[in-house]
Amino acid sequence: DTAVSQTPKYLVTQMGNDKSIKCEQNLGHDTMYWYKQDSKKFLKIMFSYNNKELIINETVPNRFSPKSPDKAHLNLHINSLELGDSAVYFCASSQGLSKEKLFFGSGTQLSVL
Amino acid sequence: GQSLEQPSEVTAVEGAIVQINCTYQTSGFYGLSWYQQHDGGAPTFLSYNALDGLEETGRFSSFLSRSDSYGYLLLQELQMKDSASYFCAVRSSYNTDKLIFGTGTRLQVFP
């Protein structure tokens, strides 16, 4: 069973469109994250949620809106997509005080044309 | 600013030992982690050091020196499957969820 699963794996879309990425974890973890990895493989946190509450919002444009309907799910909606949004987006989770040990999903490669 | 510097690329042959260094400059420090990422894959957790010294996990070991703001990942008995990118990461304080990742080191293992 996949621990952290995100869909879709690939997303190709036009500038200006709105898209969503879904993430689910079955580990029973209390904290979930969105990370962005750019073309140079630099990995940067975007958001974190703890028990459905937004904890970190790392100066991300407000076109990005995370939503956590419950502690097992964290979705990412992106409005008015721009070329610069092209990247790999990773969902991750952690449990309790073990914030150093993240469990990542397989990533969503977003290409904005 | 906050930064974690790593060599961009390291090459080695099967069976060899390789060390990947990480120097960090962060506003605070609450531990150094290491992650492995194969091409097209997800980062996976390898190890964590909160205190100075060496932590060993099978063929991989990780070292930390807080006074030098420095750590390294040591990979022994290299195998082809170890070819991947390796990232160090720092949590800057106890009460943050945020991990700051290093620039990443691409390891290529040759036969």
Side-chain angles (χ1 to χ4, degrees):
Chain A
D1 283 345
T2 305
V4 182
S5 58
Q6 55 182 106
T7 55
K9 175 80 173 163
Y10 300 97
L11 195 47
V12 181
T13 189
Q14 301 283 337
M15 267 197 323
N17 284 351
D18 303 338
K19 290 294 178 185
S20 292
I21 307 172
K22 294 187 173 183
C23 179
E24 175 182 4
Q25 53 95 5
N26 63 5
L27 297 166
H29 287 173
D30 55 13
T31 306
M32 295 186 73
Y33 310 79
W34 280 109
Y35 275 82
K36 178 180 179 181
Q37 188 169 46
D38 63 22
S39 58
K40 295 184 179 177
K41 298 202 116 181
F42 184 61
L43 200 57
K44 190 166 191 274
I45 192 168
M46 300 173 70
F47 302 102
S48 78
Y49 271 74
N50 183 276
N51 286 318
K52 303 194 300 174
E53 182 185 346
L54 179 66
I55 303 298
I56 292 175
N57 181 341
E58 192 69 5
T59 41
V60 176
N62 57 15
R63 299 182 294 105
F64 290 79
S65 51
K67 280 197 171 48
S68 182
D70 55 60
K71 74 173 196 176
H73 295 84
L74 180 61
N75 304 322
L76 183 65
H77 188 77
I78 315 170
N79 289 326
S80 304
L81 278 156
E82 299 177 358
L83 293 176
D85 297 333
S86 295
V88 181
Y89 293 84
F90 285 101
C91 177
S93 70
S94 68
Q95 175 59 26
L97 300 178
S98 300
K99 305 296 183 189
E100 294 75 23
K101 188 173 182 177
L102 301 182
F103 291 77
F104 283 87
S106 57
T108 296
Q109 180 151 355
L110 172 64
S111 299
V112 182
L113 307 177
Chain B
Q2 310 205 80
S3 67
L4 286 81
E5 296 295 326
Q6 303 177 231
S8 58
E9 190 167 2
V10 174
T11 59
V13 295
E14 272 188 302
I17 300 172
V18 75
Q19 178 174 311
I20 298 173
N21 299 322
C22 173
T23 54
Y24 58 88
Q25 193 170 7
T26 54
S27 57
F29 180 82
Y30 195 73
L32 183 72
S33 307
W34 287 92
Y35 284 79
Q36 178 192 61
Q37 185 181 25
H38 287 99
D39 285 348
T44 56
F45 175 83
L46 291 176
S47 68
Y48 169 62
N49 295 67
L51 303 174
D52 291 351
L54 194 67
E55 293 280 343
E56 297 182 63
T57 311
R59 293 187 298 114
F60 294 2
S61 304
S62 56
F63 172 82
L64 174 64
S65 168
R66 287 173 296 171
S67 60
D68 295 321
S69 298
Y70 164 77
Y72 65 73
L73 181 69
L74 191 72
L75 298 88
Q76 303 182 73
E77 300 171 23
L78 280 172
Q79 302 175 11
M80 296 293 289
K81 67 178 182 179
D82 298 329
S83 292
S85 293
Y86 293 83
F87 295 88
C88 58
V90 163
R91 183 151 72 106
S92 57
S93 74
Y94 171 78
N95 59 359
T96 181
D97 295 341
K98 178 179 170 182
L99 277 188
I100 304 164
F101 279 83
T103 49
T105 299
R106 181 164 180 81
L107 170 65
Q108 293 194 70
V109 180
F110 293 99

